[in-house]
Amino acid sequence: MLGGRGRARARLLAIFGVMELRIEITGEIVERQELLNGTQTITIEGADAAGDWALVGALSWNLGLVEYEGEGDLTLTRADGAEIFATLVRADVAEAGDGIEDADHTFRLTYEIDGGAGAFLDATGAGSAQGTLAGDAFHGAWSLRLAAPLAA
């Protein structure tokens, strides 16, 4: 949920046809697959702490056995039913290093926003996410920059 300054910034950007969102989401890894070539695929579901946004998505990556930028998609759904659709452009996933507690892997994701529903019907833009995977859980921050006629 946006605070006073964040809300004013979102309104100002919306006037110029741009909306920026930053959403922290925590959730579960609901499905996991690993192929013989080292490619891993997970399906995730989660929500922000306020319950304003829900996320469902899939992503895949390879931990260095073959050249692979990753693939996947996600849907972010706002509490009023408006949705943002995005396609994964790149997934950089690594084993968690020193100084990162309670995580098996870290991730940096890049998305292309390619539509939506409701207020985000014609949304386009770009997004990124970074966070951690720990057992069957994940936590991350998704940053989105939307450009289109938005009725947000």
Side-chain angles (χ1 to χ4, degrees), residues 88-134:
L88 186 67
V89 175
R90 182 171 180 89
D92 293 314
V93 180
E95 292 185 12
D98 295 335
I100 300 176
E101 296 182 24
D102 301 325
D104 304 321
H105 295 87
T106 60
F107 64 82
R108 288 185 181 273
L109 311 173
T110 305
Y111 291 95
E112 178 181 316
I113 297 167
D114 47 15
F120 301 111
L121 181 63
D122 296 318
T124 60
S128 63
Q130 64 181 33
T132 58
L133 305 172

Side-chain angles (χ1 to χ4, degrees), residues 33-40 62 65-66:
Q33 290 183 323
E34 184 171 351
L35 301 178
L36 293 176
N37 71 358
T39 299
Q40 298 185 38
N62 188 288
L65 298 179
V66 296

Side-chain angles (χ1 to χ4, degrees), residues 13-102:
L13 290 168
I15 291 169
F16 294 103
V18 176
M19 175 182 276
E20 292 180 345
L21 299 169
R22 185 172 188 285
I23 307 163
E24 285 197 40
I25 296 180
T26 300
E28 297 179 355
I29 298 170
V30 296
E31 186 177 344
R32 183 185 305 259
Q33 290 183 323
E34 184 171 351
L35 301 178
L36 293 176
N37 71 358
T39 299
Q40 298 185 38
T41 302
I42 60 173
T43 302
I44 57 176
E45 295 179 2
D48 71 336
D52 293 331
W53 290 93
L55 176 144
V56 174
L59 64 118
S60 63
W61 70 91
N62 188 288
L63 291 176
L65 298 179
V66 296
E67 186 68 26
Y68 185 67
E69 291 189 352
E71 62 182 31
D73 54 36
L74 73 85
T75 300
L76 281 163
T77 305
R78 197 167 59 182
D80 66 359
E83 295 179 311
I84 299 170
F85 307 136
T87 301
L88 186 67
V89 175
R90 182 171 180 89
D92 293 314
V93 180
E95 292 185 12
D98 295 335
I100 300 176
E101 296 182 24
D102 301 325

